[in-house]
Amino acid sequence: MKKTTLSLTMIAALALGSASAQTTIKIATLSPLSGGQSDLGTQIKNGAQLAVNEYKEQFRKLGFNLQLVGYDDQADPATGTAAARKIAADRQILAVVGTLNSGVAIPSSAALQPSRVALVSPANTANQVTDRGLSNMNRIVARDDAQGPAGANFITGTLKAKKVYVLNDKTAYGEGLAKEVEKTLRAKGVQIVTNEGTEEKSDFSSIVAKIKLQRPDAIYFGGIYNQVGVFIKQLREAGINAPVVGGDGLDSSELATIAGAGASNIYFTTVAAPIEALPAAKVFAASYQKTFGKQAQGFGAFGYDAAKVTLQGVLNAIRANKNKLPTRAQVEASIRKGSFNGLLSGNVSFNSVGDRKAGTLYVMSVTGGKYKLATSIPVKPAKQ
């Protein structure tokens, strides 16, 4: 009898030991969790958390404890690069979902590259992000050289503008987008008043005065919602009702809040589909609301998709490594060459530089503070 009791005790101890001996695998997010762009950055992290929650059991069955760790880059290249170095130093982190800003992605991915830590971006659009040909940098959204022309075509085709005032926020993202818009508009014979860079965040009176003098048919602003919202508010208060067009940096519910009564006649192209434009997103949206007590937005859905690509890439690397812990290099290769299905935004596979082989751009309109899908455009990178 004693022998049996001992055996059962040993079995229980062994079982307990194996449960606690699970190897931890971490996935990181890198996005602004504080500051003026934290609305979008938190959406990315929360979307990734939902994906991790879904995948935990699959990892557990293979002997791994899956965790998500969120890093705050404050939408700042230096802060993001410092966080990237911390990520590289934590050997349990096998891949990263991020970033929001192209200006952060470029130095951060370069800092992670020697450690072979893969990034899957749910948001970065600047051409330079993948044009550098880094083996660890991937994105599931369209590039500026697709988004810029789409915005310009909307300005000429739908808005019928002949004279356009172009602004940018002096970041890699805003400058790159404004440059692509200007190039396409000029090719269509549209008069460009200027392509002016500004880092102003609170007082746009001098720019508004110039716009009032020039009377453009439309204004294009390559920038982020927290800056552009203030600009639109002051523009409307000055009695200028010309349409304002921008890129996916305006894709936040905060834009209308900041612009206030002036949140009308605004259009933006976005790489992250509005939730209602994704037929598969109903369950995700309900889960997001239940988990975080907030409504899911486009970047939440794309944070979720980018995390699913990342996690499936890690799982594929584990299986290819005979169910053992893979190296970062194995994960990096697995993500780049993988084909990922069952995502909210459709299937994902990458070309040789990490661009999504086929994606969609969406044009949103804002009227009376309400957001509505105007049209959607299928796009592909020039390089397949």
Side-chain angles (χ1 to χ4, degrees):
M1 191 68 185
K2 276 186 181 176
K3 206 170 186 180
T4 312
T5 309
L6 186 64
S7 302
L8 289 170
T9 308
M10 284 176 73
I11 289 162
L14 283 167
L16 193 67
S18 65
S20 61
Q22 283 208 326
T23 304
T24 296
I25 288 178
K26 294 179 190 171
I27 300 300
T29 55
L30 185 57
S31 63
L33 303 177
S34 62
Q37 296 175 38
S38 59
D39 180 47
L40 299 188
T42 303
Q43 284 273 333
I44 288 170
K45 179 178 178 260
N46 289 350
Q49 185 64 63
L50 290 182
V52 165
N53 294 351
E54 283 178 27
Y55 271 78
K56 264 182 183 288
E57 185 59 20
Q58 288 186 65
F59 276 79
R60 192 191 63 76
K61 282 177 180 170
L62 291 167
F64 300 103
N65 172 33
L66 179 64
Q67 292 178 11
L68 181 81
V69 281
Y71 284 83
D72 182 9
D73 63 30
Q74 297 173 20
D76 173 63
T79 306
T81 306
R85 292 199 182 100
K86 285 182 190 167
I87 289 167
D90 184 345
R91 301 302 301 178
Q92 290 180 319
I93 298 174
L94 294 187
V96 179
V97 174
T99 60
L100 172 68
N101 308 86
S102 296
V104 177
I106 291 162
S108 298
S109 56
L112 289 167
Q113 209 271 334
S115 305
R116 308 293 292 275
V117 179
L119 288 96
V120 179
S121 170
N124 302 141
T125 61
N127 299 342
Q128 196 188 341
V129 169
T130 49
D131 279 354
R132 295 165 302 150
L134 296 186
S135 58
N136 66 324
M137 186 73 235
N138 313 277
R139 59 173 145 203
I140 64 166
V141 291
R143 296 159 51 100
D144 279 349
D145 53 11
Q147 187 175 191
N153 291 339
F154 183 81
I155 289 167
T156 56
T158 303
L159 301 180
K160 310 290 184 197
K162 300 277 191 288
K163 183 179 178 184
V164 179
Y165 199 107
V166 181
L167 288 159
N168 73 77
D169 65 1
K170 289 191 170 182
T171 68
Y173 165 76
E175 282 182 353
L177 200 49
K179 186 179 167 188
E180 292 290 344
V181 168
E182 181 186 0
K183 191 164 76 178
T184 305
L185 288 175
R186 284 194 190 280
K188 289 175 173 285
V190 173
Q191 182 192 343
I192 303 295
V193 178
T194 185
N195 186 346
E196 182 181 351
T198 178
E199 292 175 300
E200 182 57 58
K201 295 286 195 295
S202 56
D203 180 9
F204 292 94
S205 54
S206 61
I207 294 172
V208 169
K210 283 186 268 185
I211 290 169
K212 202 161 196 174
L213 205 64
Q214 293 288 348
R215 298 165 67 93
D217 301 321
I219 300 153
Y220 188 91
F221 200 143
I224 306 290
Y225 69 89
N226 59 321
Q227 180 190 28
V228 182
V230 177
F231 165 75
I232 292 170
K233 184 175 190 290
Q234 293 177 17
L235 189 75
R236 301 297 186 235
E237 284 168 352
I240 302 166
N241 294 312
V244 177
V245 185
D248 57 318
L250 306 195
D251 190 1
S252 167
S253 58
E254 289 293 304
L255 175 73
T257 306
I258 297 165
S264 280
N265 210 10
I266 304 166
Y267 304 89
F268 59 87
T269 52
T270 179
V271 291
I275 297 296
E276 61 274 16
L278 299 170
K282 280 200 173 105
V283 174
F284 162 79
S287 178
Y288 193 102
Q289 179 74 46
K290 187 181 172 187
T291 309
F292 305 108
K294 290 179 182 175
Q295 279 197 330
Q297 296 174 48
F299 282 111
F302 274 66
Y304 174 81
D305 272 5
K308 283 189 82 167
V309 166
T310 304
L311 294 165
Q312 194 57 53
V314 174
L315 268 184
N316 293 348
I318 291 169
R319 286 172 183 143
N321 200 38
K322 297 178 181 171
N323 289 349
K324 292 191 183 78
L325 182 71
T327 64
R328 285 168 162 180
Q330 285 171 322
V331 170
E332 179 191 75
S334 174
I335 289 171
R336 178 62 60 86
K337 72 183 183 200
S339 186
F340 307 97
N341 307 319
L343 304 172
L344 301 179
S345 62
N347 299 338
V348 168
S349 56
F350 300 109
N351 66 5
S352 61
V353 295
D355 283 320
R356 185 173 183 165
K357 286 183 181 176
T360 308
L361 274 168
Y362 305 87
V363 183
M364 301 293 292
S365 68
V366 184
T367 306
K370 303 280 184 231
Y371 295 67
K372 191 178 163 197
L373 180 65
T375 186
S376 57
I377 309 152
V379 292
K380 289 184 176 182
K383 193 174 187 177
Q384 278 294 299

